[in-house]
């Protein structure tokens, strides 16, 4: 029987380190920045607003001449606190019970979910002589470009700037089944 070396998770993951500004350096010497997008409720907009938003979004897509991924992460809403508050309220017990039954059925069918929207931008050094600082500066410029272009659509884009925030987001990416069941 052949003796295989036990590999740790750290060897398997593509990350080298998380830099001070929240940028992730990968083992292949490329860099990644994770952005959180707070979206608008498109369905509540008028037809004219919807058309303007779509045109702004087209401009965003055409202007991004760099690598980017859009990630949507869904998880079931935790309604337990809301239901506990309802149980404490003694008014209209029949209506309250029917309402609790209704929201529980919605939640069971995953019709009430919380969605997180992320944009992941990456920058690879063009060659071995490109300095890390130049690559990081390019990545930051791309972040500001995404932020400005999506603001025209009505979205708010924020960056993760510290190591703990980045770790939490990465954990949620790699453990999505845990978050889907909650």
């Amino acid at each position: 029987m052949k003796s295989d070396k036990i590999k740790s998770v750290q060897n398997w993951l593509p990350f080298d380190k998380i830099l001070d500004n929240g940028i992730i350096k990968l083992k292949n010497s490329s860099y990644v920045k994770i952005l959180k997008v707070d979206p608008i409720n498109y369905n509540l907009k008028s037809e004219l607003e919807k058309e303007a938003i779509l045109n702004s979004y087209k401009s965003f897509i055409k202007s991004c001449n760099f690598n980017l991924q859009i990630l949507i992460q869904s998880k079931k809403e935790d309604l337990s606190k809301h239901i506990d508050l309802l149980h404490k309220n003694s008014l209209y017990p029949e209506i309250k019970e029917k309402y609790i039954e209704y929201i529980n059925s919605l939640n069971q069918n995953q019709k009430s979910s919380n969605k997180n929207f992320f944009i992941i931008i990456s920058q690879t050094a063009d060659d071995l002589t490109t300095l890390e600082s130049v690559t990081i500066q390019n990545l930051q410029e791309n972040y500001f470009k995404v932020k400005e272009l999506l603001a025209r659509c009505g979205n708010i884009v924020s960056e993760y700037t510290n190591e703990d925030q980045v770790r939490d987001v990465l954990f949620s990416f790699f453990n999505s089944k845990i978050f889907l069941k909650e």
Side-chain angles (χ1 to χ4, degrees):
M1 185 175 252
K2 195 178 195 181
S3 159
D4 291 331
K5 286 187 177 181
I6 297 175
K7 293 187 177 183
S8 69
V9 172
Q10 287 81 6
N11 290 339
W12 173 75
L13 292 173
F15 314 115
D16 185 20
K17 62 183 174 179
I18 300 172
L19 305 176
D20 291 338
N21 51 11
I23 292 175
I24 304 164
K25 182 178 181 185
L26 301 179
K27 291 178 182 173
N28 67 0
S29 297
S30 60
Y31 297 82
V32 173
K33 186 161 189 68
I34 301 171
L35 312 175
K36 178 152 179 31
V37 180
D38 295 323
I40 58 169
N41 192 333
Y42 182 79
N43 292 329
L44 296 178
K45 302 297 181 183
S46 70
E47 290 305 315
L48 187 59
E49 289 172 313
K50 287 180 179 181
E51 188 176 332
I53 291 167
L54 286 175
N55 287 332
S56 295
Y57 190 72
K58 286 177 195 174
S59 175
F60 161 69
I61 296 296
K62 288 179 183 177
S63 299
C64 292
N65 56 352
F66 48 86
N67 294 330
L68 92 111
Q69 293 178 342
I70 299 173
L71 177 70
I72 302 171
Q73 190 179 56
S74 296
K75 79 175 190 179
K76 235 185 205 184
E77 278 295 330
D78 179 12
L79 300 175
S80 59
K81 291 178 185 176
H82 181 65
I83 291 172
D84 288 343
L85 281 173
L86 289 170
H87 282 302
K88 290 177 184 175
N89 185 352
S90 61
L91 294 175
Y92 310 109
E94 296 104 28
I95 296 172
K96 175 180 65 175
E97 289 305 317
K98 286 183 180 181
Y99 177 68
I100 290 172
E101 188 178 304
Y102 172 71
I103 61 174
N104 276 329
S105 71
L106 280 178
N107 206 30
Q108 287 297 322
N109 297 330
Q110 280 198 341
K111 291 185 179 174
S112 65
S113 63
N114 183 17
K115 292 187 180 355
N116 291 314
F117 297 85
F118 300 96
I119 292 182
I120 302 165
I121 54 176
S122 63
Q123 181 75 38
T124 305
D126 296 328
D127 55 40
L128 296 176
T129 61
T130 305
L131 296 174
E132 181 176 275
S133 61
V134 172
T135 305
I136 291 170
Q137 181 180 354
N138 290 339
L139 195 59
Q140 285 295 109
E141 288 171 6
N142 291 342
Y143 156 65
F144 288 116
K145 187 176 192 176
V146 167
K147 184 175 182 173
E148 177 189 334
L149 290 168
L150 284 180
R152 293 179 189 169
C153 300
N155 299 296
I156 299 170
V157 178
S158 55
E159 63 181 325
Y160 293 101
T161 56
N162 72 46
E163 189 172 332
D164 289 337
Q165 291 172 321
V166 173
R167 284 181 196 270
D168 288 345
V169 172
L170 291 173
F171 180 82
S172 75
F173 290 168
F174 283 100
N175 294 290
S176 60
K177 288 184 181 180
I178 293 171
F179 287 95
L180 290 174
K181 291 179 184 176
E182 288 183 347

